[in-house]
């Protein structure tokens, strides 16, 4: 895992990231970035921002895991991402959480090849509230396996 956060910003420019995988779905080792929820001092939910430019991310696992529902903004420009799992795996949150969790992806001029599908939003009886997912892609190419 490259980065673990409860509220912060991350920027990578012209980097090469190798993801080596993990044993469990929400094992932090299986992702380049792992974000777990924590309220901020004003009682709200803190935001995380991830900026990636001209970067290559390859390996076994996913790029971003979001646990406990968060507000996350990802801005990816240029480069490529080739993974054995999904680009994004997000776990649901508790019912009626305020403010509602959201994940925003702004993608440009990049290639994403994800064998597990591009994004997976997971709910359960204990965590039924899926985050809103907003994706804008400009001049991107996507490849996913048939099983996704």
């Amino acid at each position: 895992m490259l980065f673990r956060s409860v509220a912060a910003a991350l920027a990578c420019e012209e980097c090469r990231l190798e993801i080596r995988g993990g044993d469990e779905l929400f094992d932090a080792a299986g992702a380049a970035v792992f974000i777990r929820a924590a309220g901020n001092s004003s009682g709200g939910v803190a935001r995380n921002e991830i900026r990636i430019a001209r970067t290559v991310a390859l390996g076994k696992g996913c790029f971003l895991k979001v646990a406990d529902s968060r507000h996350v903004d990802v801005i990816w420009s240029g480069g490529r991402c080739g993974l054995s799992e999904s680009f994004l795996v997000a776990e649901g949150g508790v019912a009626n959480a305020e403010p509602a969790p959201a994940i925003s992806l702004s993608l440009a001029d990049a290639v994403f090849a994800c064998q597990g599908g591009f994004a997976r939003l997971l709910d359960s009886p204990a965590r039924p509230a899926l985050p809103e997912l907003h994706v804008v892609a400009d001049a991107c190419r996507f490849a996913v396996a048939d099983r996704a």
Side-chain angles (χ1 to χ4, degrees):
M1 168 186 55
L2 168 70
F3 185 71
R4 184 178 189 143
S5 171
V6 292
L10 168 70
C12 291
E13 188 171 328
E14 298 180 1
C15 295
R16 180 177 172 89
L17 308 174
E18 181 180 343
I19 302 156
R20 297 189 180 199
D23 296 330
E24 297 181 26
L25 186 59
F26 273 92
D27 177 3
V33 180
F34 182 76
I35 298 173
R36 183 167 297 280
N40 65 22
S41 58
S42 64
V45 176
R47 295 195 76 87
N48 285 274
E49 182 178 274
I50 301 162
R51 290 185 173 272
I52 307 293
R54 299 173 309 280
T55 291
V56 175
L58 302 171
K60 297 178 180 177
C62 67
F63 177 75
L64 173 62
K65 288 184 181 180
V66 181
D68 302 328
S69 291
R70 299 287 305 150
H71 289 280
V72 180
D73 297 314
V74 177
I75 299 98
W76 186 302
S77 177
R80 61 190 167 107
C81 184
L83 303 169
S84 65
E85 297 299 327
S86 302
F87 176 81
L88 165 69
V89 177
E91 179 183 49
V94 297
N96 302 317
E98 290 294 332
I103 299 171
S104 173
L105 306 176
S106 177
L107 313 171
D109 301 312
V111 176
F112 299 91
C114 307
Q115 292 179 11
F118 182 73
R120 293 174 58 197
L121 303 178
L122 307 173
D123 66 347
S124 68
R127 300 197 170 280
L130 293 176
E132 292 181 18
L133 178 61
H134 305 274
V135 181
V136 175
D138 180 33
C140 291
R141 289 185 291 162
F142 296 88
V144 295
D146 287 341
R147 67 174 173 84

